[in-house]
Amino acid sequence: MLMVGLTGGIGSGKSAVAARLAALGAVVIDADQVAREVVAPGSAGLAEIVATFSDRVLDAHGALDRAALGAVVFADESARRRLEAITHPRVRARTAELVAAAPSHAVVVNDVPLLVEVGLTPTYHLVVVVQTAVATRLERLTRDRRMDPAEAERRIAAQADDARRRAAADVVLSNDGDLAELHAAVDGLWRDRLVPYEENLRARRAVRPEQAVLTEPDPTWPEQYARLAARIRHALAPADLRIEHIGSTAVPGLAAKDVIDIQLGVPSLAEADGPLAERLADAGFPRLPGEWWDNPRPAGSGRWEKRLHGSADPGRPVHLHLRVTGSPGWRYALLMRDHLRADPDQRAAYLQLKRELVASAPDGATYGTLKDPWFDEEHLRAEEWAERTGWRP
């Protein structure tokens, strides 16, 4: 099932987004609610907290006094870690139970206030961040929650800032307007991305852009790659395989098709055909059917076989190339990237070629084939550069 992480700073309107998604049909799991449930009166979690910190953390009714507990652990790192050792495994176990109880075709939205802060982003197929101007958040906290302005500022400052959340977000929902605007944005996200993503994930179907359309350089491409790579790394753990950003989106300043190319080095293609392929598909990167290979450089030396996976996410096309680590194709992808990064003249020549080919042959397959003669020559230049500079992959 599709797992979506939802987060946002205090006062951002994250709960309104969660409620709208639930109304549209998502299974919403509220991390705060789960955290309260596992330490409710009569629970094993509360009993262990009392055994660890004494009954001074209970209120007059025998429930957890969160303010009293906070006073105990706030300035004591070891106490905080003891508390987390009690609560975190229980929260994870209860969350897993709720996920397991959801329908197999569900879009499961995990509403986690500190998702970015605790490093959970790679565990989801998609991360949605609700972003609202700090001034608006302060106004909401003081008006709607009757929070003291100084306390509201302190609470906001204690969380990740907007830049850190944006870097972790696959989707940013702005909530500086009214509720109708927010609902419209959530509805569009549900219709255009979440529902088709879930369908693609279940069908093991990758998104395939048909036309070769050049996009001007996007400074967020490296951030997007980093999120995808973290997701892949999490899916394959404990295996520690080399993952690289390759292709035109890995070359700063170069216009490119808006497809993130990623290279995953594997010990063998037989291993790429095994359980690893299923783990990638579960993480949102299904294998593309058919046989795939790279044209050798120089030509005539036999084709370089590989496996190719894509992305089930309709909002982020990906080409995930599985090549044997150390093989000619694996080395060539890194050499081309690094030479184009280092040589502005060849980067400009390649961009001119791309623009000409897109204008004359917008079909994706034809576009790729017509670049071969230029890359035959570029390969020789890159090898000379590698020898001159001592480049190593």
Side-chain angles (χ1 to χ4, degrees), residues 37-117:
E37 180 183 330
V38 299
V39 295
S43 67
L46 182 59
E48 189 170 351
I49 288 175
V50 172
T52 303
F53 299 104
S54 82
D55 58 7
R56 60 181 167 159
V57 299
L58 296 178
D59 64 17
H61 305 286
L64 183 65
D65 185 332
R66 294 183 177 276
L69 179 60
V72 172
V73 304
F74 181 75
D76 187 335
E77 179 72 13
S78 64
R80 182 179 63 80
R81 289 181 178 175
R82 291 198 303 274
L83 175 62
E84 290 173 350
I86 296 169
T87 59
H88 287 188
R90 289 179 166 86
V91 168
R92 287 193 294 268
R94 179 55 181 154
T95 300
E97 289 176 358
L98 294 171
V99 171
S104 60
H105 61 279
V107 175
V108 177
V109 176
N110 202 358
D111 178 350
V112 186
L114 299 181
L115 185 150
V116 173
E117 289 85 342

Side-chain angles (χ1 to χ4, degrees), residues 136-148:
T136 303
R137 293 163 62 192
L138 286 169
E139 180 184 352
R140 289 175 181 167
L141 292 173
T142 54
R143 181 192 66 215
D144 301 337
R145 301 195 194 182
R146 308 290 186 186
M147 194 176 289
D148 179 78

Side-chain angles (χ1 to χ4, degrees), residues 112-135:
V112 186
L114 299 181
L115 185 150
V116 173
E117 289 85 342
V118 298
L120 290 175
T121 53
T123 66
Y124 297 97
H125 293 106
L126 199 76
V127 171
V128 177
V129 168
V130 185
Q131 182 172 292
T132 308
V134 171

